[in-house]
Amino acid sequence: MASVIGKSIKRVEDKRFLTGKGKYVDDMVLPDMTYAAILRSHLAHARIANVDITAAENAPGVVAVFTGADIVKAEIGGVPCGWQVDFKNGDTMKEPPHPLLVADKVRFMGDAVAVVIAESAAAAKDAVELIMVDYEELDVVVDGPDALKDGAPLIHDDVPNNICYDWELGDQDATDQAIENADHVTTLEFVNQRLIPNAIEPRSAIGHYEEASDRYTLYTTSQNPHVIRLLMSAFVLGLPEHKVRIVSPDVGGGFGSKIPHYIEEALMVWCSKQIKRPVKWTAERNESFMTDTHGRDHVSKAEMGFDSDGKITGLRVKTVANLGAYLSTFSTCVPTYLHGTLLQGLYTTPAIHIDLTAVFTNTTPVDALRGAGRPEATYLLERLMDNAAREMGVDPAELRFKNFIPPFDGVSQPGYQTQVALQYDSGNYEKVLNKALEMVDYQEFRSQQSQARTEGRLLGIGFSTYIEACGIAPSAVVGSLGARAGLFESAQVRVQPTGKVSVFVGSHSHGQGHETTFSQLVAGKLGIAMEDVDIVHGDTDSVSFGMGTYGSRSLAVGGTAIMNGLEKVLEKGAKIAAHKLEAAEEDLEYANGQWTVKGSDKSIAFGDVALTAYVPHDYPEGLEPGLDFTNFYDPTNFTFPFGAHIAIVEVDKDTGKITIDRFVACDDVGNVVNPMIVDGQLHGGIAHGIGQALFEGAIYDESGQLLNGSFMDYTMPRADDLPMFETDRTVTPCPHNPLGAKGAGEAGTIAATPAVVNAVIDALAPFGVTDIKMPLTPERVWKAMQTQIKEAAL
């Protein structure tokens, strides 16, 4: 049975999804349930002079209407931020309240003004249109740098200059000196554009207050139900946590957008208490575009210095991060501790400094989006590397080899201490790039490229060698850096009397395949059938505690918690087996689901030991019954997956259209439990990263209107936009968790974007194009070529 670990076993959860048996929040219908519709501001910035709800209250089927005035009267706090980042001078960051319903002024298009509760969803939607709001329009600012300008409108009256915080990391003096003394400096000013997550399942929430038991239940589309319970109970509604249950059943994707605690979750619970009936809200797709937290939105200037041999001497970065109108749960740590700390990349850069300013604007709040800070850091580094290679006349692969950190395993050699706080666990960066170059047949491609250029065709190749930090840890360290909760994970391993195993995990699945991968761990470790393992998650009444799923942490952190529980099961099981077999524990060995006395045929099966644990008639003296262990695992460090991605593109010189001919990815995610699932995660991540490079980007006009807030206008990558991905792996185990696992869910997104952009810029090298703003639409590519042609003619 141990062979199930490392095998591409089909996902066990897919049967219910493919046959329409999945259970999502919006599928749920509770007795006597009502339905909510939320009135959202169509303006990005305006004072509320008056809200008239009379017509809505009298509309057919309406049960209740609430406004911001009701929230103020009830003294309900706003949804909190989960990570404190202080100013450079030590002052606490600015954290203006994010109310469940706005009473004073709206701050972005989509801000919630009122909620209507009715007997049907249709009645609620009809009635919400009857609410009349008198607005006094205010000036608007949507771009981060513009928010810092003198005279810019203030999003929050008590936040001077719209600055949430400023922050720095690294050695500024050493970096300034390195840049000043460099033989060559490559400079890049760019926008890492705002993206909209677009999970396939819209957010949904059902609040249910049960008066008889004085208990609250929230059914919600969340990646981390225990975190939602903590934030909502302690910081928003002031409820006793033991009276609150959060249930997140099947969740249709998240990509980070279902991490935050949203106003609608607390609002539905509060409304249910007011009317003593369940209340359901489900987002329309246009609401999702407006109110699901967005991602990215950095404006940066980066300078990389080199000596005469092409070795990096320093990296200086100045960034403005747009956080939107309010703080979200993890929004503050994304541009700082998930971005600034990754600016070492895979390189031996001896001096690094980042100066970052986070600002409020009249836009949707920003939070984690697949990769969360790591894509922004990798894009910055890898675009600089390719541009620097071109400027210095060096092959881009050779420039990387020259600057790579030498191999280290974290055991015989210590981890690599970066200039930006982190210590990498293990890595062999040359190996992944060498394998990727072999896969793409690099020299042959360069020959083909030269031939194509003589024929007037524009072929390009782009590199991206990346590292990411997964499984944020340890709790004590991240707590000192501002995290307002621990970042451990829990698992309860319960062996039933029949030998079947139930595992209750705090890591929530919303597409990752946990029910398969975790079952493989249990079956492989215990030597039992996967069918005998049940994985339970997503219900705070069933699972003792957990921090949820984000940051590619589930296997390395949640999986390790499970493995530690299994070790305890086997340790106690050995005591029972030794007693039954009349042997010493040290004389037993465990394999294939049974304990055997070494050198004999005496054995006892796992199931028999399990039964004995619960029917302890013949039982070791002093050993308590049962076979059930709850474990908490707090990692000693992040894990650090890495890899090399290479894109080959062709650009139509007449139209600017980009075709991706090949995409090669060689990743190292440590030990792999299910290769098929890892490949699937990488494929999805690559598609997501290509989406940012070529298609996606939220567009606000000067009045704060989201111009592409629908699938008619917001371009998502389609299957026919993508090639067949060519993937391979190297294996450098993580030295500090027993699985040797590192994380894979975000790697493709982190690496793909700069690989594709670099390939396009390489294709356009004959025109002298050095940068194009993302997304690289055909129009932008065509204009870049025409601009260079015109300049050359002058």
Side-chain angles (χ1 to χ4, degrees):
M1 286 294 181
S3 62
V4 297
I5 295 179
K7 299 297 183 183
S8 292
I9 293 172
K10 291 183 179 179
R11 301 193 341 163
V12 299
E13 51 267 75
D14 283 350
K15 181 177 180 180
R16 73 172 183 271
F17 296 142
L18 294 172
T19 57
K21 300 297 195 305
K23 187 175 183 181
Y24 300 91
V25 173
D26 193 51
D27 295 330
M28 302 174 68
V29 179
L30 304 182
D32 206 26
M33 190 162 73
T34 61
Y35 299 83
I38 296 173
L39 176 67
R40 300 188 183 276
S41 170
H42 65 285
L43 299 174
H45 203 195
R47 297 198 184 279
I48 298 174
N50 184 58
V51 181
D52 185 351
I53 62 174
T54 306
E57 288 180 311
N58 294 320
V62 170
V63 176
V65 181
F66 299 106
T67 68
D70 297 301
I71 300 300
V72 171
K73 184 178 179 182
E75 299 182 347
I76 296 173
V79 291
C81 178
W83 200 297
Q84 179 178 314
V85 177
D86 292 334
F87 281 83
K88 294 178 190 176
N89 64 8
D91 289 350
T92 302
M93 70 181 188
K94 301 297 183 181
E95 188 177 356
H98 185 183
L100 306 191
L101 296 172
V102 176
D104 56 351
K105 71 172 182 175
V106 296
R107 293 173 173 86
F108 74 102
M109 176 188 173
D111 224 346
V113 176
V115 60
V116 173
I117 303 166
E119 300 291 352
S120 69
K125 292 172 186 175
D126 288 343
V128 84
E129 295 182 2
L130 300 176
I131 298 175
M132 303 299 293
V133 183
D134 293 332
Y135 291 110
E136 298 172 358
E137 288 194 54
L138 300 170
D139 291 338
V140 169
V141 61
V142 297
D143 293 324
D146 290 344
L148 294 170
K149 292 179 179 177
D150 292 339
L154 291 181
I155 314 305
H156 301 275
D157 295 341
D158 56 350
V159 179
N161 306 115
N162 294 313
I163 299 176
C164 177
Y165 60 83
D166 58 22
W167 179 87
E168 65 179 339
L169 184 64
D171 189 329
Q172 182 175 4
D173 291 340
T175 303
D176 288 345
Q177 185 175 1
I179 298 297
E180 182 179 346
N181 296 334
D183 291 288
H184 177 86
V185 177
T186 292
T187 302
L188 187 63
E189 297 185 49
F190 65 95
V191 176
N192 203 296
Q193 81 271 31
R194 176 178 288 242
L195 303 178
I196 299 175
N198 287 315
I200 194 169
E201 178 202 20
R203 288 189 296 115
S204 185
I206 302 173
H208 184 199
Y209 172 70
E210 298 173 272
E211 191 170 14
S213 61
D214 190 32
R215 283 181 59 86
Y216 303 80
T217 300
L218 170 67
Y219 302 90
T220 183
T221 49
S222 175
Q223 298 177 212
N224 32 244
H226 287 89
V227 174
I228 302 305
R229 184 180 68 176
L230 172 63
L231 296 177
M232 185 178 74
S233 300
F235 299 103
V236 185
L237 298 180
L239 303 175
E241 197 169 359
H242 68 287
K243 292 280 191 178
V244 178
R245 177 190 182 197
I246 310 294
V247 180
S248 294
D250 291 325
V251 174
F255 312 114
S257 70
K258 291 174 182 172
I259 294 173
H261 177 32
Y262 286 94
I263 62 162
E264 294 87 359
E265 294 169 320
L267 184 60
M268 292 307 107
V269 172
W270 181 79
C271 288
S272 179
K273 174 69 177 291
Q274 307 313 301
I275 68 170
K276 307 298 191 290
R277 294 173 62 183
V279 186
K280 178 197 280 189
W281 168 83
T282 300
E284 299 283 349
R285 184 56 71 175
N286 69 320
E287 283 184 286
S288 296
F289 272 93
M290 287 191 295
T291 66
D292 288 5
T293 52
H294 293 178
R296 316 284 193 255
D297 208 342
H298 288 191
V299 178
S300 297
K301 178 181 179 181
E303 300 164 281
M304 183 175 279
F306 296 84
D307 65 18
S308 58
D309 293 326
K311 290 282 287 183
I312 304 171
T313 61
L315 173 68
R316 183 166 60 196
V317 179
K318 189 172 182 62
T319 293
V320 176
N322 184 349
L323 301 182
Y326 303 100
L327 295 185
S328 185
T329 303
F330 286 127
S331 59
T332 52
C333 79
V334 172
T336 52
Y337 296 107
L338 297 181
H339 169 248
T341 57
L342 270 296
L343 290 175
Q344 187 82 50
L346 303 182
Y347 310 118
T348 57
T349 310
I352 301 171
H353 182 259
I354 177 173
D355 184 327
L356 182 138
T357 304
V359 300
F360 294 107
T361 65
N362 296 117
T363 58
T364 299
V366 166
D367 207 299
L369 175 65
R370 201 173 195 167
R374 284 73 58 90
E376 295 93 314
T378 300
Y379 186 81
L380 182 153
L381 290 169
E382 296 307 292
R383 286 288 296 116
L384 281 171
M385 288 297 283
D386 262 40
N387 274 18
R390 190 169 294 108
E391 291 170 3
M392 294 188 293
V394 178
D395 182 273
E398 288 304 315
L399 186 62
R400 287 171 168 84
F401 282 125
K402 182 173 290 189
N403 285 282
F404 276 157
I405 296 164
F408 60 103
D409 60 17
V411 180
S412 59
Q413 309 104 331
Y416 183 84
Q417 181 61 52
T418 73
Q419 303 299 315
V420 277
L422 299 180
Q423 185 179 66
Y424 296 164
D425 54 359
S426 60
N428 190 334
Y429 311 134
E430 296 177 5
K431 190 174 182 180
V432 287
L433 182 53
N434 272 322
K435 180 169 276 194
L437 291 171
E438 291 173 11
M439 293 166 67
V440 82
D441 198 350
Y442 184 45
Q443 295 305 322
E444 173 61 24
F445 169 78
R446 286 300 190 190
S447 297
Q448 294 173 1
Q449 182 185 45
S450 297
Q451 178 61 35
R453 285 179 176 172
T454 66
E455 300 166 359
R457 295 169 56 215
L458 302 176
L459 298 184
I461 189 167
F463 296 87
S464 175
T465 50
Y466 75 94
I467 191 167
E468 64 162 321
C470 300
I472 304 174
S475 293
V477 172
V478 296
S480 69
L481 298 178
R484 292 170 172 172
L487 291 165
F488 52 83
E489 197 47 84
S490 77
Q492 179 183 6
V493 179
R494 177 183 299 163
V495 181
Q496 309 291 355
T498 57
K500 313 301 183 186
V501 180
S502 298
V503 180
F504 303 84
V505 292
S507 301
H508 186 278
S509 178
H510 47 281
Q512 291 85 354
H514 290 175
E515 292 172 40
T516 304
T517 303
F518 289 163
S519 292
Q520 286 179 258
L521 289 181
V522 177
K525 184 70 174 177
L526 298 182
I528 62 177
M530 285 182 61
E531 294 77 12
D532 291 342
V533 182
D534 182 34
I535 305 297
V536 180
H537 61 88
D539 186 339
T540 61
D541 271 10
S542 299
V543 179
S544 60
F545 203 81
M547 297 308 297
T549 294
Y550 45 82
S552 303
R553 71 191 299 269
S554 293
L555 185 61
V557 186
T560 297
I562 293 172
M563 291 297 285
N564 289 346
L566 295 173
E567 291 288 354
K568 293 178 182 178
V569 165
L570 291 175
E571 181 182 350
K572 185 174 182 180
K575 296 181 186 301
I576 300 171
H579 177 82
K580 298 292 285 186
L581 294 171
E582 299 179 336
E585 285 182 56
E586 56 268 24
D587 291 334
L588 300 182
E589 58 185 1
Y590 186 83
N592 299 319
Q594 62 181 13
W595 283 270
T596 302
V597 179
K598 298 174 185 176
S600 78
D601 59 359
K602 293 178 61 178
S603 65
I604 185 170
F606 179 78
D608 293 329
V609 168
L611 183 61
T612 302
Y614 290 94
V615 188
H617 300 317
D618 183 12
Y619 203 66
E621 185 177 350
L623 189 66
E624 67 181 54
L627 211 51
D628 190 335
F629 295 95
T630 297
N631 310 274
F632 288 82
Y633 174 65
D634 194 0
T636 58
N637 193 6
F638 292 80
T639 65
F640 294 92
F642 57 91
H645 288 208
I646 301 175
I648 292 178
V649 306
E650 181 165 2
V651 178
D652 188 316
K653 65 180 180 180
D654 295 322
T655 66
K657 185 180 188 304
I658 298 164
T659 301
I660 303 176
D661 291 335
R662 294 180 67 189
F663 195 100
V664 166
C666 182
D667 298 277
D668 194 315
V669 299
N671 291 334
V672 172
V673 174
N674 189 312
M676 180 196 72
I677 287 178
V678 169
D679 286 344
Q681 291 184 340
L682 288 168
H683 289 186
I686 292 168
H688 202 157
I690 291 172
Q692 176 170 14
L694 302 184
F695 306 109
E696 298 186 51
I699 302 171
Y700 285 93
D701 69 10
E702 61 185 13
S703 67
Q705 294 295 304
L706 180 61
L707 298 181
N708 57 343
S710 75
F711 284 132
M712 292 291 290
D713 303 297
Y714 187 94
T715 307
M716 301 281 285
R718 304 180 306 181
D720 60 354
D721 294 316
L722 308 172
M724 294 297 292
F725 302 136
E726 304 166 56
T727 60
D728 204 344
R729 275 185 286 279
T730 63
V731 178
T732 309
C734 172
H736 63 74
N737 70 61
L739 295 171
K742 293 197 170 192
E746 298 165 291
T749 306
I750 292 166
T753 305
V756 171
V757 174
N758 282 337
V760 173
I761 300 302
D762 184 57
L764 301 181
F767 291 87
V769 176
T770 59
D771 191 41
I772 301 175
K773 183 179 179 181
M774 293 191 293
L776 275 60
T777 61
E779 178 186 17
R780 286 178 175 171
V781 173
W782 183 85
K783 284 184 175 179
M785 289 188 287
Q786 299 308 307
T787 298
Q788 294 300 317
I789 291 171
K790 290 178 181 177
E791 290 182 0
L794 296 175

